[in-house]
Amino acid sequence: MTTQRPRAVTVLRWFGLVLLAVIAVFFVARAVVEIATVDPARPESYEQDWGGPHYLGVVAVHAGPGLLILLSTALWLRRLTHQRKTHHSKK
């Protein structure tokens, strides 16, 4: 006997996943733009930004969340593929 989730729960779960994906894409794009546009040799390009006046602070604040998302995604995918390989080898 299998129990099915109510449709509202399924819809809310998908809505939450899509919302998380949009937020993740935003943070990753923000990290790429910040790293590409801020010149570490020109402090005036970042000294008024959050995390300033030091370049590492600016990168940590603006690119840190995106980098954490990329790292988390890579670890999650690695774990997922490892589980699939383990599951297929048991058959």
Side-chain angles (χ1 to χ4, degrees):
M1 181 175 141
T2 61
T3 58
Q4 291 185 336
R5 290 188 184 111
R7 182 162 171 77
V9 172
T10 304
V11 169
L12 284 174
R13 178 172 283 191
W14 276 105
F15 178 75
L17 289 173
V18 169
L19 183 63
L20 283 175
V22 168
I23 292 170
V25 167
F26 168 77
F27 280 126
V28 170
R30 180 179 176 196
V32 169
V33 168
E34 190 69 26
I35 291 172
T37 59
V38 173
D39 184 5
R42 290 186 34 223
E44 64 272 7
S45 70
Y46 58 81
E47 66 186 357
Q48 297 299 317
D49 289 352
W50 286 0
H54 303 288
Y55 180 69
L56 288 179
V58 172
V59 170
V61 168
H62 293 274
L67 296 174
L68 286 175
I69 289 170
L70 288 175
L71 178 64
S72 301
T73 303
L75 292 173
W76 176 72
L77 288 173
R78 182 173 177 225
R79 182 177 171 210
L80 186 67
T81 57
H82 179 71
Q83 285 177 349
R84 286 186 179 172
K85 285 180 184 177
T86 305
H87 179 60
H88 288 304
S89 66
K90 289 182 179 179
K91 286 184 176 181

